[in-house]
Amino acid sequence: MESYELAILLARALDSKKGGDLKVLKTEGLTTLADYFVICTATSNTQVKAMSDACEEAAESNGERAHHIEGHRGGTWLLMDFSSVVVHVFTDEARKFYDLERLWSDAEEMDISKVLEEMPKHQNWRLR
């Protein structure tokens, strides 16, 4: 799966769990860490977990797996590394603290509004 397709798939998974202020940043050419960062805000520790589960399910349905998952014990942030795409889920306070949009201000923000609108209500994560 191409890195852009994976980033969109993961953004859709986060959106399906009501992820707030969802952004996809194209970091390709700026870092070797990943081609895309997918960033969103969760309203609770429970929602952080639900978003993690949705991302894993969507990726695995398309033959992709997270290579590394890291999270703060308090459940205020989560990082999921899919190699070419890294997902960052934060509570509002943690997102303001880490301020990834400022740190990666050179990255291009992708317009994902149309692809999120096209998402069916009952998501079948299988793309192929």
Side-chain angles (χ1 to χ4, degrees):
M1 174 176 281
E2 295 290 324
S3 57
Y4 177 75
E5 290 176 314
L6 181 58
I8 294 303
L9 176 72
L10 295 168
R12 284 178 165 172
L14 295 169
D15 188 60
S16 77
K17 296 299 179 187
K18 310 283 190 238
D21 197 16
L22 188 56
K23 294 189 179 175
V24 175
L25 303 180
K26 183 176 182 181
T27 55
E28 183 180 31
L30 299 175
T31 182
T32 58
L33 295 174
D35 294 339
Y36 293 91
F37 283 176
V38 181
I39 306 168
C40 80
T41 303
T43 57
S44 68
N45 301 353
T46 304
Q47 190 183 23
V48 171
K49 173 71 171 118
M51 289 182 187
S52 170
D53 293 345
C55 285
E56 283 188 281
E57 179 185 339
E60 288 176 5
S61 293
N62 289 279
E64 301 287 337
R65 296 186 78 88
H67 298 283
H68 184 73
I69 299 175
E70 211 173 298
H72 187 269
R73 287 187 187 165
T76 61
W77 62 269
L78 172 77
L79 179 145
M80 302 180 79
D81 182 354
F82 292 89
S83 292
S84 63
V85 178
V86 175
V87 173
H88 301 272
V89 179
F90 298 101
T91 59
D92 189 51
E93 185 178 323
R95 187 165 180 173
K96 287 175 184 168
F97 177 79
Y98 290 104
D99 200 6
L100 292 184
E101 291 92 339
R102 184 187 58 77
L103 289 173
W104 293 99
S105 60
D106 291 345
E108 176 186 354
E109 183 176 342
M110 308 304 293
D111 181 2
I112 58 171
S113 58
K114 285 188 172 79
V115 295
L116 294 181
E117 288 171 7
E118 296 168 357
M119 186 174 69
K121 297 231 185 272
H122 300 285
Q123 182 64 45
N124 174 358
W125 296 119
R126 187 91 175 122
L127 294 180
R128 298 178 188 167

